[in-house]
Every structure is written in structure tokens, then in C-alpha cells.
Amino acid sequence: MNNVVVVGASLAGFRAVEELRHQGYDGAITVIGAEPHLPYDRPPLSKQILSGSWETDRLPLTPIGKDVADLDVSWRLGVAASGLDLGARQVDLADGSHVSFDALVIACGAGVRTLPGQPELAGLHTLRTLDDCLALRADLDATPRRVVVVGAGFIGAEVAATARQRGLDVTLLEALATPLQRALGDAMGAVCADIHRDHGIDLRLSTGVDGFDDDGHGRLTGIRLSDGTTIEADVAVVGVGVAPNTGWLEGSGLTIDNGVVCDETCLAAPDVVAAGDIARWPNGLFDEVMRVEHWENAQQQGAHVARRLLGHLDAYRPVPWFWSDQYDRKIQLAGRSSADDEVQVVDGSIEERRFVALYGRAGRLVGVLGMNRPRPVMEYRQLIAAGTSWEDALAR
Ligand SMILES: Cc1cc2nc3c(=O)[nH]c(=O)nc-3n(C[C@H](O)[C@H](O)[C@H](O)COP(=O)(O)OP(=O)(O)OC[C@H]3O[C@@H](n4cnc5c(N)ncnc54)[C@H](O)[C@@H]3O)c2cc1C
């Protein structure tokens, strides 16, 4: 292997490059990135950068103890990969050029979903990239009165919290009966709902969007709701989830099914690996084919696939983990959780909003949710990795 191409200049791709060099690979590396920027961190986009407490110079990803230049990468930024010819070992780019490889890392992440028929209007935003964030921040700076966030998933909830902390009037719309219902279940979703209400958010649950109103000159003025009412809005953010960026891989021969499907080592085809938000692989620890949209996974899986290309054959079996910051609450979830799991608070209390809740399924501990309780989350995470039974976890 002497010529590695990475598609996606973000966290998973960056960590793959870093690990290749760390492991002593000294061949060529080309990174292709659709955005014009060198790799940067996304979590602050809904938190510190959006609030204005950080400037963008804190975002770039850097290798530990080194400069980016030390990685000796040929960057092809601002141009998307548009096709893959596996037989010829070649990536086609949107500018008509081609890049050949003898090993390929697919790390092109996920892009935002939009609502059916969602128009392009000034004041109407989505949030995935630095440019999205700066456009939204500029609109929030322009003293809007009314901000509406559509979708109370983690990104929507964080944007609502940040806008509220900037002193703006915020309405948060959610089509389901509680925020984060699919991720956390009803009981824990209800806790999150109360937190938003206590901070003065106008939270409207079981409420969908029928359409958007504008002033006739392309600027958003309001949102029509499924209950027949309309709310006025100067700025709106649609946060209804993401979809893996697989379009350019259609017809390539790779298996595409809600992501790039890999084996348990993250190999998608000979000398082709996938990592981060784009990758779907069987995680033997959970007996589940999963795709994970969290920062830590992108980082770890990026490093894992680098080692995979260098001949390490270990299965990738992490206990996924993520955090979300909303107001002064730090929410962390390790493992898997779903609306159908058994849920039990084992430490602290919901009233104090400082607690640990466990998720059990089929007699096994599968997840742990902590609110302002980071250390127990990490302890239970180890128990999840060890395959601890639900009974034993509760008996601790
Ligand atoms: C606003 C925001 C806040 C977040 N906060 C948290 C948090 O608090 N905690 C947490 O755990 N996670 C958080 N995340 C999720 C985390 O940032 C992602 O899981 C992580 O960025 C995934 O990394 P990735 O490298 O797999 O993909 P991405 O970061 O999505 O990067 C993929 C890159 O590939 C590029 N690309 C796409 N298609 C092509 C193509 N055809 N050719 C070339 N390049 C292409 C994209 O433009 C992008 O730059 C947040 C995400 C966002 C957007």
C-alpha cells in the first residue's frame, strides 16, 4: 500500500490520516473534502460558536503534538467526490478530475435532512457545517425577535438552548410526544421537555410543520403548523436529523443501505474501509448492525480503519458514547437506548436533574444516561462492555 485516498475532510478522515502516520505509514495520502475548509470540529457549532463565546480559530483539528503540515497530506478541498470505480481503483471528482488509489477510506459523513418541500428562504436554516453556523449566527446577531427550531433532537435542542441563552424568544417544535423520544424513551424525554420549559422555551409537542410563509421577497415570516395555526418567525432552524452522504457511491458495487455497509472490521470491499457517520457495521457487542452519529465514534473508527488498512484484523466493538450540552446540563449517553427499553434511575433524582438512568433490554444492561453525572456513566459503560446482566447492574 503506497497511495491512500480519504474521501471526507472531517473528524473520521482526519483521525484515519493521523493514525496511518502514527503507525508508520509513509506513502502518499490524498484527502478529498467537499467543504473548502481543513478539518474542524462540529460540536461547538451548536454551542460555543453559535453563542458567540468562541471564535472559529478554536475549531481546526490538529494532530496531537504536531502541526497539520507534519501529516504530509495532499488536500483536495472544495471539491466533492462524485463517483467510485472500484475495478479501476479510482475516485471521480465533481470538477471532472480523477484520483487513483490503492486503498480508500470513505469518511464522508452525513448531511442534513430537510422537510418535504422545504423552500430556500432568507432566515430559514439548517446546521451541519461551519458555513451553516456562521450564517445562522449572523442572523441571530441581527436582533431577531422570534426564533423557531423545528425538531427537538440533540442538535435542535442545543440550538434552542443556545438561542434562548442569547436572550431570544424561542419556540421549539417536535412532531413526537416528547423531545428525544426515539433516543431516550418517554420518561427521559419528558425530563428534557421540562428543562426547556423551565428556561422559557415555548415547547410544542406532537406538532408538525405544514409550510413556511415569506414576505414575497424571499424572507421567512412564519411557519404553518399541523394544528392549523401559524407562528411568526424571523429565524427558523430545521433540525430533523441527518442522512449518510452515499449518493456518490450509488452503482459503485459497494453495499449501500443507510450508510456504507462494512464487515465487523469496517472493511467495505478489498482495501476499502468506511468510518464515522457514514459507516454501518455489525457491532458484535450489541448483536446489531449499527451506524453511529457521534463525535467519539468518528474519532475511534477513523483510527480503527487506518489500522485495518495496515493489516490489523480486530473487530470494531465499541460501546458508543456521546454528550450534549443544554443550558447548564451535560447529558451523556453510553451504549444503546430505545423507546422500548426498561429504564430505571439508579443514582440522584430526576427532580434535581442530576441523575443516572440505566437502560435494560432482554435481561442485559445496554445503555446508561447521565445528567451532570459523568463519572458513573463511564463506570456503567464498562459494565455494558463486559456484557453485565440487567439484574447485576441494578444490584450494584
Ligand atoms: C452542530 C453539531 C453539533 C454536534 N454536537 C455533538 C456533540 O455534542 N456530541 C457528539 O457526540 N456529537 C456531536 N455531533 C456529531 C459529530 O460532530 C459527528 O458525529 C462527526 O462530525 C462525524 O464525523 P465524520 O467525519 O464521520 O463526518 P462529518 O463530520 O459529517 O464530515 C464528513 C465530511 O465529508 C464531506 N463530504 C461529504 N460528501 C463528500 C463527497 N462526496 N466528497 C468529498 N467530501 C464529502 C462533508 O462535506 C464533510 O466535511 C455534532 C454535529 C453537529 C453538526
Side-chain angles (χ1 to χ4, degrees):
M1 184 173 82
N2 201 25
N3 181 19
V4 176
V5 169
V6 178
V7 177
S10 186
L11 184 58
F14 189 78
R15 293 301 171 213
V17 169
E18 194 183 8
E19 184 69 7
L20 282 169
R21 293 300 189 214
H22 179 70
Q23 294 283 336
Y25 169 75
D26 62 1
I29 301 179
T30 303
V31 177
I32 298 160
E35 292 181 67
H37 311 289
L38 281 166
Y40 61 86
D41 225 6
R42 287 181 208 281
L45 301 182
S46 49
K47 308 173 185 75
Q48 298 90 338
I49 301 290
L50 192 60
S51 73
S53 63
W54 283 14
E55 276 314 320
T56 54
D57 56 355
R58 297 180 71 163
L59 287 184
L61 297 177
T62 48
I64 297 162
K66 288 186 185 170
D67 285 336
V68 174
D70 296 331
L71 294 173
D72 192 16
V73 166
S74 170
W75 299 99
R76 298 284 306 266
L77 300 176
V79 59
S82 56
L84 170 65
D85 185 334
L86 273 181
R89 295 200 168 209
Q90 178 176 288
V91 174
D92 307 326
L93 303 193
D95 63 5
S97 62
H98 312 279
V99 181
S100 57
F101 61 84
D102 44 40
L104 176 67
V105 178
I106 300 174
C108 53
V112 288
R113 289 182 197 276
T114 52
L115 294 168
Q118 183 175 320
E120 297 237 342
L121 293 174
L124 181 56
H125 297 263
T126 54
L127 177 57
R128 182 73 190 177
T129 66
L130 172 58
D131 296 351
D132 294 340
C133 174
L134 295 179
L136 174 58
R137 187 170 85 174
D139 257 7
L140 296 183
D141 286 345
T143 53
R145 292 180 306 283
R146 299 145 306 189
V147 177
V148 177
V149 179
V150 182
F154 284 105
I155 302 289
E158 287 188 356
V159 170
T162 302
R164 186 68 197 129
Q165 286 174 303
R166 292 179 56 135
L168 301 168
D169 289 341
V170 180
T171 303
L172 178 56
L173 305 174
E174 170 55 52
L176 299 176
T178 60
L180 302 164
Q181 189 183 44
R182 278 194 207 101
L184 302 184
D186 285 330
M188 294 302 124
V191 179
C192 296
D194 286 344
I195 290 172
H196 286 294
R197 287 194 175 111
D198 286 356
H199 283 86
I201 296 261
D202 177 3
L203 175 65
R204 306 208 191 171
L205 300 171
S206 305
T207 305
V209 169
D210 273 358
F212 297 87
D213 290 338
D214 63 54
D215 64 358
H217 303 286
R219 173 154 275 283
L220 175 78
T221 55
I223 300 187
R224 297 191 301 279
L225 306 183
S226 55
D227 62 10
T229 60
T230 297
I231 43 176
E232 293 183 341
D234 304 304
V235 176
V237 185
V238 175
V240 292
V242 295
N245 289 319
T246 51
W248 67 283
L249 295 166
E250 295 296 339
S252 65
L254 294 179
T255 306
I256 306 297
D257 179 11
N258 180 27
V260 173
V261 179
C262 306
D263 71 7
E264 68 281 2
T265 69
C266 305
L267 192 76
D271 302 312
V272 178
V273 289
D277 284 16
I278 189 84
R280 197 148 165 264
W281 86 104
N283 182 339
L285 198 56
F286 293 88
D287 204 13
E288 178 189 339
V289 182
M290 61 175 70
R291 192 173 66 75
V292 174
E293 295 168 357
H294 309 325
W295 185 91
E296 192 202 49
N297 180 65
Q299 149 130 321
Q300 288 185 345
Q301 202 169 18
H304 179 94
V305 299
R307 294 190 295 272
R308 177 66 184 87
L309 289 179
L310 294 168
H312 298 247
L313 298 176
D314 315 349
Y316 182 60
R317 294 162 57 96
V319 177
W321 169 84
F322 77 90
W323 81 97
S324 174
D325 297 329
Q326 298 171 31
Y327 313 101
D328 57 351
R329 299 294 98 178
K330 188 174 266 298
I331 300 169
Q332 296 191 35
L333 183 81
R336 305 301 274 173
S337 61
S338 79
D340 300 329
D341 293 336
E342 260 183 84
V343 184
Q344 193 146 328
V345 174
V346 292
D347 184 41
S349 74
I350 285 179
E351 293 69 36
E352 289 173 283
R353 291 178 187 156
R354 189 165 178 276
F355 64 87
V356 177
L358 303 183
Y359 290 75
R361 192 183 308 158
R364 221 186 115 184
L365 174 68
V366 289
V368 53
L369 172 73
M371 194 168 277
N372 284 21
R373 296 290 281 129
R375 193 187 297 170
V377 170
M378 291 309 159
E379 289 163 4
Y380 280 107
R381 187 183 191 189
Q382 285 174 4
L383 295 184
I384 297 168
T388 304
S389 73
W390 181 234
E391 211 177 19
D392 287 352
L394 293 180
R396 264 173 55 95

